[in-house]
Amino acid sequence: MRQHRVRTVRRLARAAVAASAAAAALTFGFSAPSQAADPSLREVAESTGRFIGTAVNDGLLSNGTYSDIVSTEFDSVTAENAMKWESVEPQRGQFNWAGGDRLVQFAQDNGQLVYGHTLVWHSQMPGWLQNGSFSNTELRQIMTDHVTTQVSRYKGKVRRWDVVNEAFNEDGSFRQSKFYQQLGASYIADSFRAARAADPDAKLFINDYNTELDNAKSDGLYRLVGDLLAQGVPIDGVGFQNHLIVGQVNGPAIRQNLQRFADLGLEVAVTELDIRMQMPSDGSKLQQQARDYRAVADACLAVSRCSGITVWGVSDRDSWVPDVFQGQGAACPWDENYRPKPAYDALRDAFVAAGGDPGDPDPPTGDCSAVFTVSNRWDTGSVVSVTVRTGQALDGWRAQFDLPAGVSLANGWNGGFSQSGSTVTVTNAAYNGTVPAGGTISFGFQTSGGAAQDGTRVSLGGQECAAG
């Protein structure tokens, strides 16, 4: 697959975004931005091997401007509310998958990862659970059944899960949630074990806010994660929300804290980034906000195990911040009229500075080689094995290739698979993301609607590999 073809498609999509914004301008009375000529945020992030994501409001996917921005600027999506317990299981044992299914389908249509949020949380619980009276044994069963059912529903489709969310008080003690009060801290380990059993390949995270710095709360989280690892609990990563305030962002301290968790051998991620300001907004505040966004992005990009950044919402128009923090807002990278703010440029610049400039559309092929073999074929399908040798050590990987027109991915193994048009994206499983220099990556898949072609070119981390 030639990378310039992928970039051409994305730039055409970005032109569609600009057209949608122009149409919105007629409605809302603003001047539409012109940004279609530049590489997208998604493109520059992918070139660094990191993801860039956003929280998605299910009710806005029918808004063309909103959905175009989400699809072209981000390669990872998180359900803002559609996968939370009150949405998924409003009545005990009765599940509503409509919102979650829409997000997963949207992601598959646009070649995006899905970040599942969230399985076990003290907030946004359905009334039957929040107000119900259960024995300890029954509550534990309710919890693990919910985790098992939801993770199983999206097995192979959700790349990362926030398994447990916001388990700590500000002083580093455990939050007195319904689960903790009845089950103690063991509810956390049980949730992770249930999630791993339901989807062995999904990456499992614990997630919290006000933990981006080395403080009492993050110390409590650090102790817990160490205990979970010592017990053999299947935890893969830690999410740091980063709901921050303009002018109060300490980038170097964030980096140091991310690094101490990464040094435990875990993946770390910035999961809910927004940076709010006292309203009204002005040029000076927007420039400071841009510097703050850049500081957070630089902190993540300086830590090899920081896999990516999710911003919590696209536009100030749709942000949760004004409803929660009186007199504050303007926290997102796009303004209320879907125009990119200086914060958007700051995020792009951070990824470019980290090596995320797509640059030459036909990059050199010396750093990787690939063998793409059709091991079995028939009229309506085929079985394919792929082996990629990398010249550099990897901590997480993403491979891409094209299938012939009309040929679809049926299933795959040894990775997470998605297809957008003819392009298939494969990301590492939980167990094969770390590859030494000179090591190999192997995965396979089955097609339907026709056969793949021997010798199909494969790219790794945005670079086309030589035929192996």
Side-chain angles (χ1 to χ4, degrees):
M1 178 189 62
R2 294 284 182 183
Q3 290 301 303
H4 71 273
R5 283 190 289 152
V6 175
R7 295 188 186 106
T8 298
V9 169
R10 288 187 181 155
R11 288 197 174 95
L12 288 172
R14 285 170 60 75
V17 172
S20 296
L26 296 176
T27 301
F28 297 120
F30 60 83
S31 299
S34 176
Q35 53 175 325
D38 296 326
S40 67
L41 187 56
R42 171 178 181 158
E43 286 178 295
V44 295
E46 286 178 346
S47 294
T48 69
R50 264 72 168 208
F51 68 81
I52 181 69
T54 188
V56 173
N57 181 329
D58 183 65
L60 293 175
L61 285 178
S62 60
N63 177 324
T65 301
Y66 177 90
S67 61
D68 284 344
I69 291 173
V70 173
S71 64
T72 60
E73 294 287 350
F74 299 100
D75 64 356
S76 175
V77 289
T78 301
E80 186 171 4
N81 289 300
M83 288 186 174
K84 291 173 180 174
W85 201 321
E86 69 174 2
S87 299
V88 169
E89 194 180 3
Q91 301 298 325
R92 185 174 180 180
Q94 297 179 18
F95 292 87
N96 178 5
W97 303 114
D101 286 357
R102 272 191 296 272
L103 182 68
V104 169
Q105 186 62 57
F106 181 91
Q108 291 178 337
D109 291 344
N110 292 287
Q112 295 169 308
L113 304 173
V114 180
Y115 201 126
H117 177 79
T118 174
L119 297 171
V120 179
W121 187 28
H122 72 277
S123 186
Q124 290 185 246
M125 290 167 32
W128 67 265
L129 177 59
Q130 180 70 57
N131 302 319
S133 179
F134 311 102
S135 70
N136 293 353
T137 299
E138 187 179 14
L139 180 61
R140 193 181 302 274
Q141 191 66 53
I142 287 170
M143 181 189 72
T144 55
D145 284 351
H146 176 82
V147 171
T148 299
T149 301
Q150 188 165 355
V151 176
S152 296
R153 171 79 177 187
Y154 297 114
K155 181 178 181 180
K157 299 176 181 178
V158 170
R159 185 77 185 96
R160 294 172 177 85
W161 280 105
D162 284 336
V163 178
V164 173
N165 195 47
E166 299 176 1
F168 286 91
N169 296 315
E170 296 304 306
D171 64 0
S173 62
F174 285 105
R175 182 188 293 273
Q176 295 295 308
S177 67
K178 186 182 189 79
F179 302 106
Y180 183 79
Q181 287 177 344
Q182 288 196 227
L183 307 177
S186 66
Y187 86 89
I188 298 173
D190 286 347
S191 299
F192 276 89
R193 292 187 179 109
R196 174 68 87 231
D199 187 351
D201 292 337
K203 292 190 174 184
L204 308 181
F205 278 64
I206 189 167
N207 188 56
D208 218 320
Y209 66 94
N210 288 351
T211 55
E212 67 275 356
L213 302 178
D214 188 342
N215 55 31
K217 191 172 189 179
S218 65
D219 285 348
L221 178 60
Y222 186 86
R223 288 191 296 271
L224 170 67
V225 170
D227 290 343
L228 294 175
L229 291 171
Q231 297 169 38
V233 175
I235 180 171
D236 301 303
V238 181
F240 300 84
Q241 293 184 17
N242 283 258
H243 296 296
L244 305 176
I245 301 173
V246 165
Q248 299 181 29
V249 176
N250 186 335
I254 292 173
R255 180 192 63 75
Q256 291 172 7
N257 194 50
L258 288 173
Q259 188 65 60
R260 73 161 172 157
F261 281 86
D263 288 343
L264 294 173
L266 294 171
E267 185 176 318
V268 294
V270 175
T271 54
E272 304 183 21
L273 175 62
D274 53 37
I275 307 179
R276 63 190 184 270
M277 65 181 68
Q278 193 69 33
M279 298 299 287
S281 170
D282 61 33
S284 176
K285 292 176 185 176
L286 290 174
Q287 290 301 321
Q288 181 60 55
Q289 182 184 58
R291 289 190 289 271
D292 291 339
Y293 265 94
R294 175 67 186 265
V296 176
D298 284 345
C300 172
L301 292 164
V303 177
S304 63
R305 289 184 178 273
C306 188
S307 54
I309 298 169
T310 295
V311 296
W312 204 247
V314 172
S315 163
D316 294 338
R317 172 185 293 271
D318 315 306
S319 172
W320 69 292
V321 168
D323 292 334
V324 177
F325 299 97
Q326 186 175 5
Q328 299 183 59
C332 296
W334 280 261
D335 69 14
E336 290 190 349
N337 295 317
Y338 295 109
R339 294 177 298 198
K341 294 158 59 178
Y344 169 86
D345 295 322
L347 285 172
R348 284 190 70 258
D349 290 347
F351 283 109
V352 170
D357 188 347
D360 183 359
D362 290 308
T365 60
D367 286 346
C368 61
S369 61
V371 178
F372 188 104
T373 304
V374 179
S375 56
N376 191 12
R377 70 176 66 234
W378 54 95
D379 289 343
T380 59
S382 60
V383 176
V384 179
S385 62
V386 180
T387 302
V388 182
R389 184 175 297 278
T390 174
Q392 62 183 28
L394 302 176
D395 186 11
W397 51 265
R398 178 176 303 177
Q400 288 185 311
F401 52 87
D402 284 346
L403 293 176
V407 177
S408 298
L409 178 73
N411 57 70
W413 46 92
N414 292 340
F417 290 76
S418 64
Q419 182 172 357
S420 178
S422 63
T423 301
V424 174
T425 301
V426 188
T427 55
N428 59 279
Y431 55 82
N432 64 358
T434 301
V435 186
T440 59
I441 298 162
S442 296
F443 57 86
F445 62 95
Q446 182 175 327
T447 66
S448 62
Q453 296 178 350
D454 274 320
T456 293
R457 301 302 288 268
V458 178
S459 70
L460 183 67
Q463 175 170 299
E464 186 174 325
C465 298

